[in-house]
């Protein structure tokens, strides 16, 4: 069986090289590009993100990434966001009192972490649902690498249609609990950096690639 193709979307805000290496290690055929057709037609699209919410959204929009994400998801084509690449999937981000519009794939706001020490930088465990596909085969005590000052503290999306599986939401705690990962149909995301999380992160990316 040929390797699954994954595009790391290069819109100027992400650790694209480390993501490329980690995905290749997990068995994917990886390309870093912002080419529209390649991003649309790959088996999987990975959207990284570092820095400020508003700046990432601006960069993504200028690269037509907002349209690509929306069209892929409309067709059930897998997309995965990492760090700020996860945050911009929500409705809005609030930084320094300034609100910026996100992609709105999920309701909710990205707000400052409520903790004594900010940023949250280092290794942390997560509390994943028992039926998680993203964390399948991973030890419950596995640790993942986080580096961020903002997060989503409340999950507001409920699915009442029995035709669709309810979103699987993974949590962790730094001060107050926050969303660490989401599996919602074709759209998956992590607040932590799997590409910097050693063997646990490699297994997680392998799990994603196997669903493509």
């Amino acid at each position: 069986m040929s390797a699954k193709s994954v595009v790391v979307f290069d819109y100027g805000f992400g650790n694209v090289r480390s993501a490329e290496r980690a995905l290749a290690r997990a068995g994917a055929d990886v390309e870093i590009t912002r080419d529209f057709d390649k991003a649309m037609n790959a088996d999987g699209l990975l959207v990284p993100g570092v820095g400020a919410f508003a700046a990432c959204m601006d960069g993504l929009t200028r690269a037509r990434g907002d349209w690509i994400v929306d069209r892929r998801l409309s067709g059930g084509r897998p997309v995965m966001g990492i760090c700020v690449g996860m945050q911009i999937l929500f409705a809005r981000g609030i930084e320094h009192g300034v609100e910026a519009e996100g992609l709105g794939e999920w309701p909710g706001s990205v707000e400052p972490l409520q903790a004594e020490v900010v940023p949250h930088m280092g290794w942390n465990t997560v509390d994943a649902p028992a039926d998680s596909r993203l964390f399948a085969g991973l030890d419950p005590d596995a640790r993942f690498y986080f580096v961020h000052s903002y997060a989503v503290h409340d999950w507001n999306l409920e699915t009442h249609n029995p035709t669709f599986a309810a979103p699987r939401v993974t949590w962790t705690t730094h001060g107050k609990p926050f969303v660490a990962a989401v599996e919602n149909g074709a759209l998956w995301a992590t607040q932590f950096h799997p590409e910097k999380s050693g063997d646990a992160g490699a297994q997680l990316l392998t799990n994603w690639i196997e669903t493509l």
Side-chain angles (χ1 to χ4, degrees):
M1 183 179 298
S2 60
K4 297 295 185 179
S5 62
V6 176
V7 160
V8 178
F9 196 63
D10 186 12
Y11 64 105
F13 293 86
N15 301 311
V16 293
R17 293 298 175 189
S18 57
E20 177 190 36
R21 289 192 295 269
L23 288 163
R25 175 187 176 190
D29 179 9
V30 192
E31 183 172 4
I32 299 172
T33 183
R34 65 168 59 188
D35 180 86
F36 181 86
D37 290 332
K38 290 180 178 179
M40 284 295 297
N41 295 320
D43 294 319
L45 178 71
L46 186 136
V47 181
V50 295
F53 184 104
C56 282
M57 270 301 302
D58 181 62
L60 189 73
T61 300
R62 284 188 282 106
R64 299 179 69 194
D66 55 340
W67 198 91
I68 291 170
V69 169
D70 181 70
R71 295 306 302 164
R72 282 188 63 94
L73 293 176
S74 294
R77 306 296 304 282
V79 175
M80 183 170 182
I82 290 177
C83 196
V84 184
M86 167 179 162
Q87 294 178 2
I88 59 177
L89 295 169
F90 287 86
R92 68 194 63 83
I94 302 172
E95 297 185 357
H96 307 294
V98 177
E99 182 173 320
E101 184 177 347
L103 293 175
E105 297 295 340
W106 296 317
S109 299
V110 180
E111 301 182 359
L113 284 169
Q114 300 177 25
E116 292 184 3
V117 177
V118 176
H120 175 211
M121 184 180 297
W123 299 83
N124 207 342
T125 56
V126 301
D127 183 14
D131 62 348
S132 169
R133 299 176 69 189
L134 187 59
F135 293 90
L138 284 162
D139 190 300
D141 295 324
R143 302 172 73 84
F144 300 90
Y145 186 77
F146 291 81
V147 52
H148 61 118
S149 299
Y150 299 85
V152 175
H153 296 97
D154 300 294
W155 178 259
N156 300 311
L157 178 63
E158 300 292 337
T159 300
H160 301 290
N161 188 334
T163 304
F164 301 100
R168 299 177 179 93
V169 182
T170 294
W171 296 83
T172 194
T173 299
H174 181 70
K176 181 180 177 180
F178 64 87
V179 176
V182 180
E183 301 158 65
N184 182 205
L187 182 57
W188 292 14
T190 65
Q191 177 60 69
F192 56 84
H193 288 270
E195 79 280 11
K196 297 183 178 181
S197 296
D199 290 341
Q203 179 62 57
L204 184 145
L205 290 174
T206 298
N207 289 344
W208 178 60
I209 290 166
E210 288 178 349
T211 71
L212 302 180

